[in-house]
Amino acid sequence: MTQPTLILVPGLMCDDTSWGPVLPALSAHMPCHVVSHGNADSLVAMAQHILATAPEQFYLAGHSMGGRVALEVVRLAPERVLRLALLGTGFRPKEAGAAGEEEVKKRQALLDIAHDQGIRQMALTWVQNMVAPARLSDAALLEAVVQMFERQSADIFRHQIRALLARPDASSVLQQVRVPTLLMAGEWDSWASPQQHQAMADLIKADHAELVGKRLGPGIPGVQIGVRTVE
């Protein structure tokens, strides 16, 4: 029996490079397809593009912004998603008041750098807060991330920031999830913390579900995994 296709949804300004290290292992078990968000400026539009081009049923994994897109796919067509993975992502809308204003300010600062100094300089600034401290000395890793960003344009960056700032609350989507779901977060991820993923797991109401936390081996420091399985 042929395995369903696994659709991999990249995060902000990311492409298939972000999935590169795991693609060989995944591809050994199932067909894999990494999507592109193109010029879409809303999470719903990104989700609609996936549904328009995907097989009738498929597995779905989203990282960061891609996790939010994956939740919008589930909101629009839950019957088409057979398995779900939400990696380093979130589900809440932009906060009201000062916290929301601070997020807008931080994102606008990056947009200004991209516009005034170019995508490369923006990426060099961004990566300092998005890579685990122990990996900041890994020049090859940082350059790979920066080059990935450079393949996108300032317009695409602006569109994706707009999509993130207008993100909907996905709490109700999580409450309706009834398929085997993987939640995974980095221990030092300040944008998408393990605690946030625990909150997401708590919203998934399914029989025979469990959350398992562990650290991976010494080659992947500080990573925690949350897994929910549904029988």
Side-chain angles (χ1 to χ4, degrees), residues 55-109:
E56 186 59 30
Q57 290 188 306
F58 50 88
Y59 299 158
L60 184 63
H63 166 248
S64 191
M65 182 186 75
R68 294 183 180 274
V69 175
L71 286 170
E72 293 309 301
V73 171
V74 174
R75 190 197 300 272
L76 292 170
E79 73 284 355
R80 294 181 63 182
V81 179
L82 301 175
R83 301 285 189 274
L84 179 64
L86 303 171
L87 316 172
T89 190
F91 67 102
R92 298 186 179 95
K94 178 174 69 68
E95 294 187 51
E101 293 173 2
E102 182 64 19
E103 180 185 346
V104 172
K105 181 180 177 181
K106 289 179 178 179
R107 294 194 185 277
Q108 185 60 51

Side-chain angles (χ1 to χ4, degrees), residues 15-27 135 141 144 148 220:
D15 57 24
D16 53 0
T17 297
S18 62
W19 297 99
V22 299
L23 269 178
L26 293 173
S27 298
R135 301 300 299 278
L141 171 64
M148 178 175 66
I220 314 176

Side-chain angles (χ1 to χ4, degrees), residues 2 7 17 20 24-25 28 38 49 61 66 77 79 82-83 96 103 113 130 143 161 163 170 175 182 226:
T2 303
I7 294 178
T17 297
H49 173 71
E79 73 284 355
L82 301 175
R83 301 285 189 274
E103 180 185 346
I113 294 172
M130 298 302 289
E143 183 60 24
I161 291 295
Q175 290 171 338
L182 166 69

Side-chain angles (χ1 to χ4, degrees), residues 18 43 70 79 92 100 109 118 125 132 143 155 166 169 175 196 201 231:
S18 62
L43 301 183
E79 73 284 355
R92 298 186 179 95
T125 302
E143 183 60 24
D155 282 343
D169 187 342
Q175 290 171 338
Q196 181 165 267
E231 296 180 353

